[in-house]
Amino acid sequence: MLKFKQYLLLLFIYIVNSSTFACSLDSLLLYSKLPKVEKPTHFTTPIVISGSLIGYGLGSLEVPALKRLDIQAKEIANSVYTGRTYVDDFIQYTPSLAVFAFELTGLKAKHSISQRMKAMATAATITAITTQALKKTTHIWRPDHSNDKSFPSGHTATAFVGAHMLFKEYKDQNIWIASSGYLVAASTGIFRMLNNKHWLSDVLAGAGIGILSTELAYSITPKLKKMFYSEGKRNQKMIWTDLTGDYPMLRASIYF
């Protein structure tokens, strides 16, 4: 009988392959009569990238060569920095805040504030459920042996949710500004490794989860609006910081 981790990896590969095949088949049927129209890649490209990152992370649970890469990356990180910084606890939210803040500079986002907040809330929910489920089932010990909830990196996933949203909202306005969130998100993952809190595979998987969650959020949020939105109900939204716990958090409350 396959181990649970092996089953999880095989299940992920099957889902990704099935989704890719279905997406390709739908695109073929849709565009077969329009040969002059270029097949869109705005959705499939992030799916492939995020799937590859998540696949690498899941593969590291069983593949010895990938486990050795984790150890080598840890040794490099420890040789560069041996202290503890809390900057990663804060910058993980920077791309998400930039999704709204950049509009103050005159750049126009692709969607309204209300739509962006709903998409972000949906992406954050998907990310939280996915990362917590994996942490509680994989039981990978952190490099500093503080607990067995290393895989995947929640900080990195959160950062890439904001980074990918920033790219989707502002890429038509300024590609450099739109892409800047990825640099901050990648820095979050690097700091998690420098702080001895995550392996390389944790960070890569977290990045993939953040990107994939955002893509799913943009796809299903309009459907959720149709299901739950009432014309007579006013939209309400609120964002606040929570500094009461061990880690600072950014919380949001949104009523469709």
Side-chain angles (χ1 to χ4, degrees):
M1 180 179 291
L2 292 173
K3 295 181 180 179
F4 175 76
K5 294 177 183 178
Q6 294 173 322
Y7 171 77
L8 189 64
L9 177 58
L10 291 175
L11 178 62
F12 171 78
I13 294 174
Y14 171 77
I15 292 173
V16 170
N17 287 339
S18 299
S19 300
T20 303
F21 175 76
C23 182
S24 300
L25 181 60
D26 290 343
S27 298
L28 179 61
L29 294 174
L30 178 62
Y31 291 94
S32 59
K33 297 182 180 180
L34 299 172
K36 294 183 179 180
V37 179
E38 184 179 355
K39 186 170 73 172
T41 59
H42 63 280
F43 181 75
T44 56
T45 299
I47 293 298
V48 171
I49 294 175
S50 59
S52 299
L53 293 171
I54 298 171
Y56 179 95
L58 291 174
S60 70
L61 302 179
E62 292 294 336
V63 179
L66 298 183
K67 291 182 179 180
R68 287 194 294 270
L69 284 177
D70 274 347
I71 295 175
Q72 291 172 2
K74 174 182 179 294
E75 292 174 348
I76 294 174
N78 290 343
S79 67
V80 173
Y81 183 74
T82 57
R84 175 70 170 99
T85 176
Y86 296 93
V87 65
D88 47 327
D89 293 332
F90 296 95
I91 65 172
Q92 62 174 317
Y93 301 116
T94 303
S96 296
L97 293 174
V99 171
F100 304 96
F102 274 138
E103 200 164 27
L104 301 176
T105 66
L107 294 175
K108 184 172 178 57
K110 187 175 182 180
H111 297 90
S112 67
I113 293 179
S114 176
Q115 290 173 322
R116 276 175 280 162
M117 294 192 69
K118 292 172 184 177
M120 182 168 290
T122 303
T125 300
I126 296 173
T127 299
I129 292 174
T130 304
T131 55
Q132 291 304 313
L134 287 171
K135 285 176 181 293
K136 292 180 179 180
T137 54
T138 55
H139 299 291
I140 301 299
W141 283 92
R142 295 182 185 273
D144 64 356
H145 300 287
S146 57
N147 60 52
D148 62 349
K149 294 178 173 56
S150 184
F151 183 87
S153 170
H155 281 65
T156 308
T158 298
F160 271 91
V161 165
H164 197 49
M165 277 197 67
L166 184 67
F167 181 77
K168 292 177 73 69
E169 291 296 331
Y170 295 99
K171 62 181 179 180
D172 295 331
Q173 292 287 310
N174 189 310
I175 190 65
W176 298 107
I177 289 179
S179 303
S180 62
Y182 292 123
L183 180 61
V184 177
S187 299
T188 300
I190 292 173
F191 276 117
R192 295 303 286 168
M193 293 176 62
L194 291 176
N195 283 329
N196 219 25
K197 288 296 183 181
H198 283 292
W199 305 98
L200 173 64
S201 55
D202 303 337
V203 170
L204 294 179
I209 290 171
I211 294 172
L212 181 59
S213 297
T214 304
E215 286 294 326
L216 292 175
Y218 271 78
S219 177
I220 68 176
T221 299
K223 297 180 178 61
L224 291 175
K225 180 179 179 181
K226 291 180 181 179
M227 292 174 60
F228 299 109
Y229 181 75
S230 173
E231 291 294 337
K233 183 178 179 179
R234 247 178 119 180
N235 285 339
Q236 299 179 26
K237 44 193 173 289
M238 180 170 57
I239 295 181
W240 71 96
T241 56
D242 182 359
L243 303 177
T244 58
D246 294 333
Y247 299 100
M249 300 182 67
L250 182 69
R251 298 183 180 274
S253 176
I254 298 177
Y255 298 89
F256 291 87

